[in-house]
Amino acid sequence: MDSLALMRSFRRVVELGSFARAADDLALSAAGLSKQVRQLEARLGTVLLQRTTRRMSLTDGGRLYYAECCRLLDEIDALEQRMRAGSERVDGLLRINAPLSFGLCVLSPLLSRFLAAHPHLRLDLALDDRVVDLVGEGFDVAVRLRSELEDSSLVARRLGQVEQLLCAAPSYLQRHGEPRTPQELCGHALLGYSLSQSPRAWQLQGADGASEFTLPAPRVAANNSLLLRDLLVDGHGVGSLPAFVAAPAIAAGRLRELLPRHRQPPRHVHAVYATGRLLPAKVRAFVDFLGDELPAALAADC
């Protein structure tokens, strides 16, 4: 039996002055409780209690041990209470990783409300399109947009999905014509997202099912959707953009959606964080906030 449990049993015997009363209080048998005290004495190598059929008294060593036992147990109880209280308090530093375009277009308009709701919380945001080593680089939580998450020991909570839109500028389409079938994309200048899980293999889902084909080498490959959007707007080719990047440019007439009946599979938005039985309150607050806010924010762009 662990030392703390034995210490608590011994303390209760002394406080109540009786093995029988302490056993009732601890929901143990008197014989079982007596055995625990003997185990404690054997572990310490000294007698703590003098016991007769009529009375019980502390030895000199027992009085010293009882005083220190109470002090230690009280400190442990106080520490546990502070930790439980702290586990519900949203404060400290929260380190977040998210893709750059998602952070600027989607997270940025939401963060003000999150900060206002948690005035004692500090944020450290790293916007980076690569998949970071969450634990190794010291992040509390990461937002990831992937068609499928890689196998991982991390916990992932799905928060929503982002549609992918094929786009080109009206100026490009005037010069090169508009593709009418997925296969015709191979005859166009393509702009590709280099961090995609399959940058050269595009899958398009339409009424006639899904079709997957390998594209020629892109004219431009980049690891950021905002840069690709600007090149597409300037008429340099055809590319695939997340809806939260493409939709404003389409609404403004700067881009046109292509093959609207043949869309790519959506990317799923996940909050990813380290495993553990107790999720820190700051992480839980952020993930719950995104779970409440993201569906509406993403739906507005579809």
Side-chain angles (χ1 to χ4, degrees):
M1 193 170 186
D2 69 84
S3 296
L4 286 178
L6 294 176
M7 290 168 68
R8 293 187 188 278
S9 294
F10 167 71
R11 177 181 183 176
R12 204 66 185 129
V13 170
V14 175
E15 289 173 340
L16 295 179
S18 162
F19 275 90
R21 287 195 292 269
D24 287 340
D25 184 69
L26 296 171
L28 298 171
S29 68
L33 182 56
S34 179
K35 181 180 178 181
Q36 289 184 12
V37 173
R38 288 197 302 271
Q39 284 180 322
L40 180 60
E41 291 175 327
R43 183 174 293 184
L44 298 173
T46 187
V47 175
L48 301 174
L49 290 168
Q50 295 285 3
R51 301 183 282 279
T52 68
T53 55
R54 295 194 173 189
R55 64 187 301 270
M56 178 190 74
S57 63
L58 286 166
T59 63
D60 289 342
R63 279 190 291 272
L64 174 62
Y65 187 76
Y66 173 72
E68 288 301 304
C69 180
C70 291
R71 181 184 65 81
L72 289 172
L73 291 175
D74 288 344
E75 288 183 359
I76 291 171
D77 290 341
L79 175 60
E80 290 180 347
Q81 288 177 0
R82 288 199 301 273
M83 294 303 295
R84 283 193 294 269
S87 69
E88 299 302 319
R89 187 170 56 245
V90 180
D91 62 5
L93 177 65
L94 179 63
R95 297 199 68 224
I96 303 168
N97 169 257
L100 177 60
S101 56
F102 183 86
L104 295 177
C105 298
V106 180
L107 279 186
S108 180
L110 302 177
L111 284 178
S112 181
R113 289 200 297 278
F114 179 69
L115 287 170
H118 304 289
H120 301 294
L121 187 66
R122 294 179 293 122
L123 295 185
D124 180 359
L125 287 97
L127 301 182
D128 190 337
D129 282 22
R130 67 188 176 90
V131 177
V132 300
D133 178 354
L134 195 72
V135 177
E137 298 183 42
F139 290 104
D140 296 298
V141 60
V143 179
R144 291 184 178 165
L145 279 68
R146 312 292 285 175
S147 299
E148 294 181 2
L149 284 179
E150 297 83 357
D151 290 339
S152 172
S153 60
L154 302 174
V155 178
R157 175 176 164 184
R158 184 171 170 178
L159 302 172
Q161 68 179 33
V162 175
E163 297 294 334
Q164 289 290 121
L165 306 182
L166 289 172
C167 303
S171 60
Y172 174 87
L173 298 175
Q174 287 175 359
R175 296 194 308 272
H176 301 282
E178 182 172 342
R180 302 296 179 183
T181 66
Q183 291 71 23
E184 290 182 16
L185 289 170
C186 296
H188 287 266
L190 301 177
L191 278 61
Y193 180 66
S194 58
L195 295 182
S196 170
Q197 289 160 292
S198 53
R200 295 282 300 279
W202 283 10
Q203 186 182 80
L204 296 178
Q205 298 173 332
D208 53 350
S211 58
E212 183 172 325
F213 50 93
T214 301
L215 300 170
R219 183 183 182 194
V220 177
N223 66 356
N224 180 260
S225 296
L226 294 176
L227 186 149
L228 291 175
R229 177 203 60 192
D230 291 345
L231 292 176
L232 290 171
V233 167
D234 287 341
H236 292 290
V238 174
S240 175
L241 296 174
F244 59 80
V245 172
I250 292 173
R254 298 190 297 155
L255 288 177
R256 185 185 304 167
E257 182 181 2
L258 306 178
L259 302 173
R261 297 188 180 185
H262 295 82
R263 282 196 170 182
Q264 292 178 294
R267 293 184 186 175
H268 303 298
V269 184
H270 288 89
V272 180
Y273 45 89
T275 58
R277 289 190 302 169
L278 293 177
L279 184 64
K282 60 185 180 181
V283 176
R284 184 172 62 252
F286 181 68
V287 174
D288 287 346
F289 174 81
L290 292 184
D292 292 337
E293 299 289 337
L294 273 186
L298 295 174
D301 293 325
C302 294

